[in-house]
C-alpha cells in the first residue's frame, strides 16, 4: 500500500478501522523485524514515526491525520514552488522537496532534456514552456502540462508565468544567504576568478568586485536577486530594487535563511503543515575548497558590489525573525524536537550525525535511508517516474 493511498484510506475511515490497521501494521513490523535482511518498508516506518510525532506534538493537523477532538489549525500544502538560488544550501532544500514529492506521487516541473538535474537556469520561461520544455505530469491517462504540484529546480522566478501552469493555491518559497559568503562561494565554484590577475584568491576577489568582469556570468553580482527576477539594468537603481523587494514580499510565502537552517526548515514545516519528519535533511555540496579570507576591505567591497543582494537579504532576514516571533513558544519546542529527530535519523541511517562523504546511494541500505541520502539519486527516481513520451 503506498503512503498516499494509505493516508487517503486513513482519512476516510473511522477509529475502529484505524485501530485494526495499526495492529496489522504492528504485526507486519514484528514479522519483518525478525528477518534481519528484510527491514520494515519505508511506508510503515514513516507511518510509525509520524504517529510517535503526533502523540507528542501539538494539535496541528498533520498529513490529514488529526485528533478529532481538536480542530485542525492548518492543512497540508502539497503544491509548492521552491526557487532554487545558487550557493545558498538550495540543494539541501531541493532534496527535501524531491523526497516529499516522490513518496506522494506529486508532479514536478523538470526540464525534459536534462535528466541529470532538470534545471532551466536562465532560459526564458513563458506560458508555452511546459509543452516545449517540461516533462508531462505523472501519468493520468492523457498527456498534461498544466497543474504541476512542485518545482524545485534552478529557474528565474516569475510568479505570473508559474501561476499559469502550477496548481491553484501554490506556495512560493526560496532561500537566501548572506551575500558576502554567497559571493565568496560562487567565486570559487563558478570560477569567477577567470580573467582576474592577482597572486592570491583574496586579490582576485577584490579585483573582481572592482572590474566589470561580472557581466560575463549570471552567477556573480547580485545573483540571488537575479534568480528572483531583478533585471541586470536595475542593479544600481535603488528605487527599482525596493519595488522588486516589495513585490517579492507579496509573491513569496516564505523565505528561508541559510544561516539559520534548522529554524528555516521548521518554519517551512509549519508554513506547509508538514511533519517535522518531512524536513529532515542531509547536507548537500558542503565543499571545503579553499575560500578567500575576508578582511574588512574585502567585506566592504563585496557589500557595495552586491548591493541589491544585501538589501534583499537584510529585508528577508528581518521578516524571517518576525515570522518566528509570531509562531509563539511552540516553535522552539518544534525546533528542539526537530533537532533530535534530525540526529536520530542520521544515526539510524548513516551511523553518524551526517552522511559520510563516500556514501553511495542505492547500496545495502533501505529505501527509506536512501531517500535521505542524496539529491542526485532522488532526482533520478523522480525523473524516471515522470518521464514518458508525450
Ligand atoms: C493548540 O495548542 C496550543 C498549545 O497547546 C494552544 O495554545 C492553542 O490554543 C491550540 N489551538 C487550537 C486550535 O486548539
Ligand atoms: C486529543 O485531544 C484531546 C483533548 O485535547 C487529548 O486529551 C487527547 O490526548 C488527544 N489525543 C491524541 C491521540 O493526541
Ligand atoms: C497534484 O496535481 C494533480 C494534477 O494537477 C492534482 O490533481 C492533485 O490534486 C495535486 N495533488 C495535491 C495533493 O494537491
Ligand atoms: C562544512 O564542512 C566544513 C569543513 O569541511 C565544516 O567545518 C562545516 O561545519 C560544514 N558545514 C556544515 C553546515 O556541515
Ligand atoms: C538577521 O537578523 C537578526 C535579527 O535581526 C540579526 O540578529 C542577525 O545578525 C541577522 N543576520 C545576519 C547574518 O545578518
Ligand atoms: C545523536 O544521536 C546519537 C546516537 O543516538 C547520540 O549518541 C548523540 O548523543 C546524539 N547527539 C545529539 C546532539 O543529540
Ligand atoms: C558506528 O560507528 C561507531 C564509531 O564510529 C563504530 O564503532 C560502530 O562499529 C559503527 N556501527 C555500525 C553498525 O556500523
Ligand atoms: C553490499 O552487500 C553485498 C552483499 O551482501 C556485499 O558483497 C557488498 O560488499 C556490500 N557493499 C557495500 C558497499 O557495503
Amino acid at each position: 500500500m503506498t503512503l498516499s493511498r494509505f493516508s487517503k484510506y486513513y482519512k476516510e475511515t473511522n477509529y475502529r478501522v484505524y485501530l485494526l490497521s495499526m495492529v496489522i501494521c504492528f504485526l507486519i513490523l514484528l514479522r519483518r523485524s525478525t528477518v534481519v535482511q528484510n527491514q520494515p518498508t519505508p511506508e510503515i516506518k514513516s507511518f510509525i514515526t509520524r504517529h510517535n510525532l503526533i502523540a507528542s506534538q501539538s494539535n496541528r493537523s498533520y498529513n490529514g491525520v488529526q485528533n478529532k477532538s481538536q480542530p485542525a489549525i492548518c492543512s497540508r500544502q502539497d503544491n509548492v514552488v521552491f526557487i532554487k538560488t545558487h550557493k545558498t544550501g538550495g540543494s539541501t532544500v531541493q532534496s527535501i522537496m524531491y523526497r516529499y514529492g516522490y513518496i506522494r506521487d506529486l508532479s514536478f516541473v523538470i526540464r525534459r532534456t536534462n535528466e541529470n538535474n532538470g534545471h532551466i537556469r536562465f532560459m526564458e520561461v513563458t506560458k508555452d514552456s511546459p509543452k516545449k520544455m517540461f516533462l508531462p505530469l505523472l501519468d493520468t491517462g492523457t498527456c498534461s502540462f498544466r497543474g504541476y504540484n512542485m518545482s524545485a529546480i534552478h529557474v528565474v522566478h516569475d510568479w505570473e508565468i508559474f501561476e499559469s501552469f502550477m496548481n491553484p493555491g501554490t506556495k512560493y518559497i526560496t532561500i537566501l544567504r548572506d551575500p558576502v559568503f554567497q559571493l565568496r562561494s560562487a567565486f570559487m565554484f563558478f570560477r569567477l576568478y577567470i580573467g582576474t590577475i592577482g597572486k592570491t584568491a583574496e586579490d582576485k576577489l577584490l579585483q573582481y568586485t572592482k572590474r566589470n568582469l561580472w557581466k560575463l556570468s549570471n552567477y556573480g553580482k547580485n545573483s540571488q536577486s537575479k534568480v528572483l527576477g531583478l533585471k541586470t539594468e536595475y542593479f544600481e537603481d535603488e528605487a527599482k530594487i525596493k519595488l522588486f523587494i516589495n513585490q517579492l514580499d507579496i509573491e513569496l510565502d516564505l523565505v528561508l535563511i541559510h544561516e539559520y537552517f534548522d529554524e528555516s526548515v521548521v518554519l517551512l514545516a509549519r508554513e506547509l503543515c508538514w511533519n517535522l519528519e518531512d524536513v529532515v535533511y542531509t547536507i548537500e555540496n558542503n565543499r571545503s575548497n579553499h575560500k578567500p579570507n575576508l578582511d574588512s576591505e574585502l567585506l566592504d567591497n563585496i557589500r557595495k558590489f552586491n548591493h541589491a543582494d544585501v538589501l534583499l537579504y537584510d529585508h528577508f532576514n528581518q521578516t524571517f525573525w518576525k515570522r518566528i516571533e509570531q509562531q509563539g513558544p511552540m516553535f522552539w519546542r518544534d525546533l528542539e524536537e526537530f533537532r533530535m529527530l534530525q540526529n536520530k535519523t542520521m544515526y539510524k541511517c548513516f551511523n553518524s550525525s551526517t552522511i559520510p562523504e563516500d556514501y553511495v546511494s542505492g547500496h545495502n541500505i533501505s529505501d527509506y535511508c536512501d531517500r535521505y541520502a542524496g539529491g542526485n539519486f532522488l532526482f533520478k527516481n523522480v525523473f524516471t517516474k515522470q518521464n514518458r513520451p508525450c
Side-chain angles (χ1 to χ4, degrees), residues 274-289:
W274 289 6
N275 279 327
L276 293 178
E277 177 204 23
D278 295 326
V279 295
V280 166
Y281 61 87
T282 316
I283 291 166
E284 304 252 348
N285 304 341
N286 178 20
R287 296 181 180 83
S288 51
N289 51 5

Side-chain angles (χ1 to χ4, degrees), residues 205-223:
L205 180 52
L206 186 61
Q207 211 188 82
Y208 183 75
T209 62
K210 291 175 171 174
R211 286 173 53 193
N212 273 339
L213 286 165
W214 63 266
K215 292 190 169 155
L216 300 173
S217 169
N218 282 315
Y219 303 102
K221 187 178 172 95
N222 294 323
S223 109

Side-chain angles (χ1 to χ4, degrees), residues 57-60 69-73 330 333:
Q57 254 238 354
S58 69
N59 46 14
R60 271 185 294 158
S69 64
Q70 287 184 347
I73 57 176
M330 285 297 283
R333 237 182 70 180

Side-chain angles (χ1 to χ4, degrees), residues 14-129:
N14 61 29
Y15 260 80
R16 255 178 307 171
V17 179
Y18 163 47
L19 277 177
L20 187 67
S21 52
M22 278 296 275
V23 169
I24 291 169
C25 280
F26 182 72
L27 287 177
I28 292 170
L29 181 71
L30 203 66
R31 200 177 146 269
R32 291 275 184 120
S33 61
T34 57
V35 188
V36 178
Q37 288 301 315
N38 244 341
Q39 303 229 330
T41 68
E43 284 74 22
I44 289 171
K45 271 190 181 171
S46 95
F47 177 72
I48 286 164
T49 312
R50 185 164 29 257
H51 280 265
N52 286 342
L53 263 178
I54 283 177
S56 64
Q57 254 238 354
S58 69
N59 46 14
R60 271 185 294 158
S61 159
Y62 273 119
N63 291 358
V65 181
Q66 56 183 277
N67 186 339
K68 292 233 160 52
S69 64
Q70 287 184 347
I73 57 176
C74 62
S75 62
R76 199 174 92 190
Q77 301 292 319
D78 282 356
N79 297 298
V80 184
V81 170
F82 168 60
I83 301 291
K84 188 172 188 277
T85 44
H86 301 274
K87 308 287 110 195
T88 52
S91 298
T92 304
V93 179
Q94 182 189 42
S95 22
I96 293 175
M97 298 291 150
Y98 281 139
R99 188 179 67 234
Y100 186 91
Y102 180 74
I103 297 172
R104 293 170 180 80
D105 292 329
L106 301 176
S107 295
F108 283 85
V109 169
I110 293 172
R111 194 168 149 207
R112 190 188 302 158
T113 54
N114 199 344
E115 51 196 280
N116 290 323
N117 54 41
H119 296 316
I120 292 169
R121 300 192 190 277
F122 290 92
M123 286 167 73
E124 196 191 358
V125 177
T126 67
K127 291 183 181 174
D128 297 330
S129 294

